[in-house]
Amino acid sequence: MADAVPDEAKELRLVNNVELKIALADTDPKLQKLLNLYLPPLLMKLGSPHASVRNKVVAVCSHINTRIKPANLLLPVPALLEQFKDPAVGGAHPLIRNFDLMYITTGIDRMPVTERLELLPALVRDISGNSNDHHQRTLFNLLLRLLQDFVPPARGVPQDVALREELFRKQAQDAKWLAGWFSKLMLLNLNIFSQADKSCPGLSAQDVEFLTLGKKETFTPWSVLAEIKVAVLKFVASGAFTDEERYFVALIASTDTNSAVADPAEDVFKRAMPSISLEDALIVDELYGLMLGHPGVPPAKLTLQTKILGLLSKSAKATGAARKSEIEKILDIGLETTYPRLRQAVFNFMTWVSRMADDGLTHSLAPGAIEKLRYWLLEDQAASDELRGYAYETLALLSSRCIHILLEPGLDIIRFLFRQLRDDRGGVAVSIEGALGVILTKIARERLEEPVKIALENMLLDTIVEEKRGAGQAIKWAGRLLEFGSVVGRWAGTLAVGMGGTVAEEGGKALHPYDYRLINPEASIQAIKNTIQSSEQMEIDADSSQSLVENKFAFPQFAPLVSYFFSTPHTLPASFGGARNLVAGKLPPKSFAAALDFAKRIAIWEALGPQQADVKIDEDWHHNVDSIIDTDEAARSRVELFLQRQEASVVTALLDVAWEGMIYERGEGTDHIKGVWNVLATLAPQSLVERYTAALPAISKLLNAPKAETRRVAALAVGLLGSHPAVPESTLELFVQEILAGIQGQKSGGFWAFGFLLSRLQFRSRLDVMPAAIIEKGVREILSTLAESRDATVVETAIEALGELAVSTVIEAGMLDDAEKTRKALVEKAKRGHEKSMQTLGYLALLYPEESAQAASIIDELIKLGENGGMEMAFVAGEALANASAGWGSSAVRRRRRIAGVQWSPKKREGVRGLLNQFLKRASESGGGGKRRTTVVGLLSVFEFCTEDEAVKERLGEAQQAFRSFLTDRDDFIQETAARGLTAVYSLSDEETRKDLVRSLVSSFTGETKQKIQVSRDTQLFEPGQMPTGDGSSIGSYGDIMSLASELGDPSLVYKFMTLARHNSVWASRAAFGRFGLGKILSNSSEVKDNEKLWPVLYRYRFDPSSGVRQSMDSIWQALGGGSETVERWWEDILRECLKGAVRGSEWRVREASIGAMADLLGGRRVAQYKMHLHDIWAIAFKVLDDVKESVRVAAMKLCKVLTAGMVRTLEGDAGTKDNVEILSMLMEFLMGRQGLEAEAKEVQLFALSTLLHVIKSAGDQLRPWIPDIVEKMLILLADVEPEAVNYLIMNADKYNTTGEDIDRMRLNSIRASPIMSAIEDLLDSLDTSSTAKLVPRLVKAIRTSLSLPSKVGCSRVVVNLVMRHPVLFKPHSDEMIKAVLGAVKDRSEVVSKSYAVAAGYACRVATDKGISQIVQWAKRGYWEGEERDRRASGAVLGAVYKHATDRANALAVDILPFVFIAKSDTDESVSEEFSKTWTENTGGSGAIKLYLSEIVQLSTANLTSARWSTRQTCALALAEAAVSISRDITAAQFQLLWPALVAAVAGKSWEGKEKVLEAFVTFACDTKAMVGLDASKMKELEQIVLREAKRNNRAYRGPALKCLGIYADGFETLDLFEKAYDIVDAAVAPPDEDEMDVDGEEGKSEKQLGTDERLRQNAVVLNGVKAIAQAFRPSLNSDDKAVLNQASRLLEMLEKHLVGASIDLKTCGIDSAALIVKRLAQSNVRMGGNTWTSAIKRLWARIAGHGCDRTFEAGRIKAATALESFTQIIARHNAASSAEDGRELVTKIQGEVAQMLQNEQSAMVRRVLDPAAASLRQL
């Protein structure tokens, strides 16, 4: 049933009644009461169905509108708002809502703030659901106005947490709606109202209309908008909103141009950021929307766009495939904008997209984006280098994701970048090179198609030939992209070598396979993977990566290389010059040498075939390849066969260029390749060499070349060509005759040529063509030169020639005229280190039978030479011995003299067996280092050079034992030689012998067998200086040990030193491990790989301090197949071995190796894997951190860092709670104990602290049980980690123009930024009730016991943090903490004192009223009873309480502020400053004094009688300040309260500052004279006080006291004090007696001794005294003209006597006094007749005129002109009382002087005053 329609008449009657009542309300209170009652019901009638009723209500509302204009009239806003929100009322009738809203808008600003804020929940309720746009925006505007007064609760407190429920209840959509409009509000910029373009970035026109209500006056002035934004930020930061809701509000506001908005917004943004996922699609959509805008909504402002791009650059979601159009738009924005930061942000974003986007998006986006970037780079040349660099980086990254674009046949992008690099004139070359590097890295992983490869080769060659800036990059590209087998790539390398600099360095890398592998790591890694797969016999697919590796590192083929290098025409760089600068017309010297060397090595490498595996590709590959043909006969044979099989044209081409290199002499760079032709000529088929015999005369000319090496190369060539069968005998004989002529002329080239030619003739079996006489003649010349010549070069060539003739048996023993002399000469030169002499000596032994005395003598000499020489000479001697004993059976003799196709077999010698017997015998004997060195080298030489001898094969076992004995030698050289010997023995042994060798090696390595040391008295057991004795010498040999033991009477020393020697030997043998192939021996043994004792020890030795041991162990590890799988298999055994070595290792190197191995083993491993060993590991780590050896400590630190990293990962990860707790407990036990933070060693302490800091960051709440202990110890550590230099600075602060307090303040800043303090704050975040209760006693203890500034300041900051972060948890303990803090406030350091004061202030926020009262009482007690420091501390504490707990302090203001007011008058400036600041910041001026006057007076009066003089002074000064402040606006009660207090304050003797109290008292009396005058006793009391104080003899006080006398006399017009004042002043200004002492003056000094200060005080007495008399001059109170005249005369006399001088003060006092006399006389009724008055008036005029004419004192002239008007009245009165003649004369005189004054006056200001006064005077 429908509701009945209301009666129209009845409704009208009700409305009329309301209208009548409102009309009869004649006062605002009555009207307000009626409106509160009737306005909401009245407005409800707007919902009436009757139009007459609605119209009547509107009419009544119009009347109401005219009545409610007064701002103090309140409206029923809460009721109206409820009515508005009621869906049944306001919701059903829009008209009701309109009027409700109108009155709400009017009345809300009139409400008290507290009542207004109570509307907040109702205002925001269902605000998002309002369908009326006008209503909604008005409500939103009301909310903004309301929020300006909103003070959110502290973050995290229960009120803050409950705020969301209170405001929104379950309506989350309201919060989201508000957050959305708050975001738009932050975008609002009111500049749209003052510019032509009305669009606001980020907002639609409708949004602007909504926010501004359609008018700019909504936010007037415009600064209101900033205030509203700040208020909104506070609201949004509260618990009413979630992080997701506040995120965009804060983001937008953080880019506001007003820092008052941006700064707090940035803080809110940072706090909200952790909760926001940038992978949320909605978040990303919103960011893109703000960035790019929507239809009708322009994009956000530039700064916001920049920040948004920074966020999008962290979101993978932002790079999704669906974002292509948005990303393209962003790129367009970046290329079009002129805002550099935005452009940079765009490039960074594009870089992010190129890295994170999937292939689909990248492939569709890249082509267009790359073209845009290229166009921009070409067109916008004005952009900064930095931005262009970003563009190149972006282009490179995009390109690298789309290889198909890069590798188009045209290579457009790559060519573009190289062109840009070539043409760059700015500073972006580095960026372009970086871009090319990015692309290069990507392309290097791809397999290039043949057309692309060809295009790339051509482009790179063209770039290199251009020699512009891109040449360096081009050679890098060639090295990375063109496989090693590419002859074009190698040709590029040869060109680059000739360019010099870094380009040449890159070119060299392209020609070396090892360097090539280094610059192609991706292919190296793939090669390793393929090798592993192959070793595991896995099926390998022939994929592109496999092909890549195979093609990448394959060597170029010899024939095509030689053809391309030397037979193909090429375009060369212009810098290479013309043909004259080229070798053979092909290349400049350096490039030619590189090309020839490379071609030769490729020939050798290709020839080696399967034997290539014996040549390791490392940094010495080129040396190894060059030397293999000399050291390996099999390899040489392979090369000979290879060249024999090659096409003759190819080999000939190589020989031709080598010949050109040999004969080239016009430049540097070819010296090292001059011998290449000789090498190739001995390897190539001799048929190909034959054609060079025609050039024999030409090459012979080089025998006289300036360089010795050239001459020797030429001599070798002469030997090869001259001995060739193609050379006729006749020609040969003539040629030898020419050589002999050169020998006779002492030409070194001749000696070489003679030796090489005859020896090669012997090898070719053509020596018989040479007459014996010629040979004998040559030999005689050689021997003669050897014996007689003083030319070292010639002698050396003669020696080598003799050796060549001897080794080839060209000569016989009988041909040596004096063989013994020759031998001795060679021995003498060999002793001086001449290697050729020693080698020749060995060759001479071949001239004698093996068993002959001569041969034995030579061998003995060689052994002696080896013993006495160094390491190099030992090897030379060893080789010479092998040659002497084996002859052509020694490979060392054969390998240097072989010629391809030439066979020569001399008689075999049988001396090896005897030599071997001799060395094996010596190996078992003791001896010094030289003997052992020669023995081991000799043995090695035999087993290396004489392997074909049967004696060698028979003695393998004995040789093995001998070499093993040398492994224990302390000499590294002997160790290495022995290791090399074992390798040689192993290679010659059978299978059983090899197994025995392996077993013995492993047992010695793992320590299963003991090493024996064979010693004699001369055996060296220690290095010199290793065992010093203290007197400058040291223990070295076994004999030294025995001698020392004998001297000390302690035979046990021998055993102790021998133990040390054994350790040396053991380590020496292990250092030799792996050298020269021992690792290879072990790797071939199957029983090694499963040896459970070997692997742990081997792993540990890989970290030995000795680089030799480390390298050896690494080589063995790799040879045995050690890898990650091996480590995983044996890791527990390895760990146990390391733990054992670290604890029980008696040698530092054992400990260091164990610790290093443990660090490597545990790195990256989960803690749970070694949890059972964790206790032992940490114990050892902390123990070794304090090791005596520094390197061990460093290793321990690395281990600890590994452990820490693992622990942090575990605590941050998702490990089980039980595991975490167990691990953390174990760790904390160490960190917090004597092995950690409490350790004595500083290094251990610091590491424990560092570890703890890491744990705190990662452990979070898991650390809660340890928080109290950690905080306490870290507070102490704050002091320990402070640099010791700080103490020095404090002690010597004056030397550095600073103070201790300044240094303390710097220390405070460092503590605030300290990571320790940051960690403590992180810990406090994890507190709960239980841990807080445990922490507080620890903190109290730390506060009371801390001794250093850092710890004290740290404690104070902890208190502050507890209050700020955990007010609820801390509240029960606040009073206890306050007591502790107050005890520390009185610290000597001002910084510490203030820090604790701040802590006390914060603690008051949550303290009880009793606790705060205790602080107030403490402050008062400290002030009244304490010294200066106590008083200052009191002020600091109360100031902090008021600053940080204002509300709590205001509750006790009646106890605090009166005391603060008094204390701010303290005579100590530092104390006064503390209290003054507190008073100023928390009161409103004189009103506060009136409010607390009773308390101020009471407290001051009580302390005026204090025994402490400074307290009395302070109270008196406070009373004085109070009196002056309120004297002009004081009540009778206040007057009665203050008067007796002031009287008491001015009582007593004078003191410094009392003048202020006296002046305040007198001023107060003058200001309140209406009240003082009513009480005769007070008037009398006042006069007594003023006169008493004016009579005091204290010179400093007398002047101000006289000033107060004047003030008093001037203030009370009815008092005639002239006579009393005159007497006092006259006595005061009289000169003192010389012997007069100051009764209560400054420190009892006489006035005579006070100097300048006393004169100043006396001047003050004179000035104030004279002026006081003038102020006391009251002629109007005296009816006796004579008496007045007398007073005036005396006053003028005093002016004339005392106010004379140029001082401004004197002049000012003079004119002021004279003007006052004139004024008082003019105002009086004195007749001034007679001559006596004429004289007085003249004297008075003289004073005024004098000041009126003073050109130096303009102010005085103005005052004189002002006084002239009153003076005119005096003259007029005088004329009336005197004779006409006397009066006329005076007037005339004065008129003339005034006229002159006026004429001379230049100042407009003076004239402005003087003109009217002169006019008045002229009228007389």
Side-chain angles (χ1 to χ4, degrees), residues 1369-1381:
L1369 295 177
F1370 183 66
K1371 186 171 184 177
H1373 312 282
S1374 57
D1375 289 1
E1376 178 186 359
M1377 189 59 67
I1378 286 173
K1379 291 179 183 178
V1381 169

Short mmCIF file of all heavy atoms in Angstrom, two decimals, residues 1369-1381:
data_model
loop_
_atom_site.label_atom_id
_atom_site.label_comp_id
_atom_site.label_asym_id
_atom_site.label_seq_id
_atom_site.Cartn_x
_atom_site.Cartn_y
_atom_site.Cartn_z
N LEU A 1369 55.52 -1.19 22.70
CA LEU A 1369 56.42 -2.12 23.39
C LEU A 1369 57.30 -1.41 24.40
O LEU A 1369 57.61 -1.95 25.47
CB LEU A 1369 57.30 -2.84 22.36
CG LEU A 1369 56.61 -3.77 21.36
CD1 LEU A 1369 57.62 -4.33 20.39
CD2 LEU A 1369 55.89 -4.90 22.08
N PHE A 1370 57.70 -0.21 24.09
CA PHE A 1370 58.65 0.51 24.93
C PHE A 1370 57.98 1.21 26.11
O PHE A 1370 58.64 1.51 27.10
CB PHE A 1370 59.42 1.52 24.07
CG PHE A 1370 60.48 2.27 24.81
CD1 PHE A 1370 61.61 1.61 25.32
CD2 PHE A 1370 60.38 3.63 25.03
CE1 PHE A 1370 62.59 2.30 26.00
CE2 PHE A 1370 61.35 4.32 25.71
CZ PHE A 1370 62.47 3.66 26.19
N LYS A 1371 56.71 1.47 26.00
CA LYS A 1371 56.03 2.30 27.00
C LYS A 1371 56.20 1.77 28.44
O LYS A 1371 56.50 2.56 29.34
CB LYS A 1371 54.54 2.42 26.66
CG LYS A 1371 53.79 3.38 27.58
CD LYS A 1371 52.38 3.63 27.07
CE LYS A 1371 51.68 4.66 27.95
NZ LYS A 1371 50.32 4.98 27.44
N PRO A 1372 56.06 0.48 28.69
CA PRO A 1372 56.22 0.02 30.09
C PRO A 1372 57.61 0.27 30.67
O PRO A 1372 57.78 0.27 31.88
CB PRO A 1372 55.93 -1.49 29.99
CG PRO A 1372 55.15 -1.65 28.73
CD PRO A 1372 55.67 -0.61 27.80
N HIS A 1373 58.59 0.47 29.81
CA HIS A 1373 59.97 0.62 30.27
C HIS A 1373 60.45 2.06 30.18
O HIS A 1373 61.63 2.33 30.45
CB HIS A 1373 60.90 -0.26 29.43
CG HIS A 1373 60.40 -1.66 29.26
ND1 HIS A 1373 60.52 -2.62 30.25
CD2 HIS A 1373 59.76 -2.27 28.21
CE1 HIS A 1373 59.99 -3.76 29.81
NE2 HIS A 1373 59.52 -3.57 28.58
N SER A 1374 59.58 2.97 29.77
CA SER A 1374 60.03 4.33 29.49
C SER A 1374 60.54 5.04 30.74
O SER A 1374 61.56 5.73 30.69
CB SER A 1374 58.88 5.13 28.86
OG SER A 1374 57.74 5.11 29.71
N ASP A 1375 59.84 4.88 31.87
CA ASP A 1375 60.28 5.58 33.08
C ASP A 1375 61.65 5.09 33.54
O ASP A 1375 62.52 5.88 33.95
CB ASP A 1375 59.26 5.37 34.20
CG ASP A 1375 57.96 6.13 33.95
OD1 ASP A 1375 57.88 6.79 32.89
OD2 ASP A 1375 57.04 6.06 34.77
N GLU A 1376 61.86 3.79 33.44
CA GLU A 1376 63.16 3.24 33.81
C GLU A 1376 64.26 3.79 32.89
O GLU A 1376 65.36 4.13 33.36
CB GLU A 1376 63.12 1.72 33.69
CG GLU A 1376 64.44 1.03 34.01
CD GLU A 1376 64.39 -0.47 33.74
OE1 GLU A 1376 63.32 -0.97 33.34
OE2 GLU A 1376 65.42 -1.12 33.94
N MET A 1377 63.95 3.89 31.61
CA MET A 1377 64.93 4.39 30.67
C MET A 1377 65.22 5.86 30.91
O MET A 1377 66.36 6.32 30.77
CB MET A 1377 64.43 4.18 29.23
CG MET A 1377 65.47 4.48 28.16
SD MET A 1377 66.93 3.45 28.33
CE MET A 1377 66.24 1.86 27.94
N ILE A 1378 64.19 6.61 31.28
CA ILE A 1378 64.38 8.04 31.54
C ILE A 1378 65.37 8.24 32.68
O ILE A 1378 66.25 9.10 32.63
CB ILE A 1378 63.03 8.71 31.85
CG1 ILE A 1378 62.23 8.87 30.55
CG2 ILE A 1378 63.23 10.07 32.53
CD1 ILE A 1378 60.83 9.38 30.75
N LYS A 1379 65.25 7.42 33.72
CA LYS A 1379 66.19 7.53 34.84
C LYS A 1379 67.62 7.31 34.38
O LYS A 1379 68.54 8.04 34.77
CB LYS A 1379 65.84 6.50 35.92
CG LYS A 1379 64.54 6.78 36.66
CD LYS A 1379 64.27 5.69 37.69
CE LYS A 1379 62.92 5.91 38.39
NZ LYS A 1379 62.63 4.83 39.37
N ALA A 1380 67.82 6.31 33.55
CA ALA A 1380 69.17 6.01 33.05
C ALA A 1380 69.69 7.13 32.17
O ALA A 1380 70.86 7.53 32.28
CB ALA A 1380 69.16 4.69 32.29
N VAL A 1381 68.84 7.64 31.32
CA VAL A 1381 69.26 8.70 30.40
C VAL A 1381 69.61 9.97 31.15
O VAL A 1381 70.60 10.65 30.85
CB VAL A 1381 68.15 8.95 29.35
CG1 VAL A 1381 68.45 10.22 28.57
CG2 VAL A 1381 68.03 7.77 28.42
#
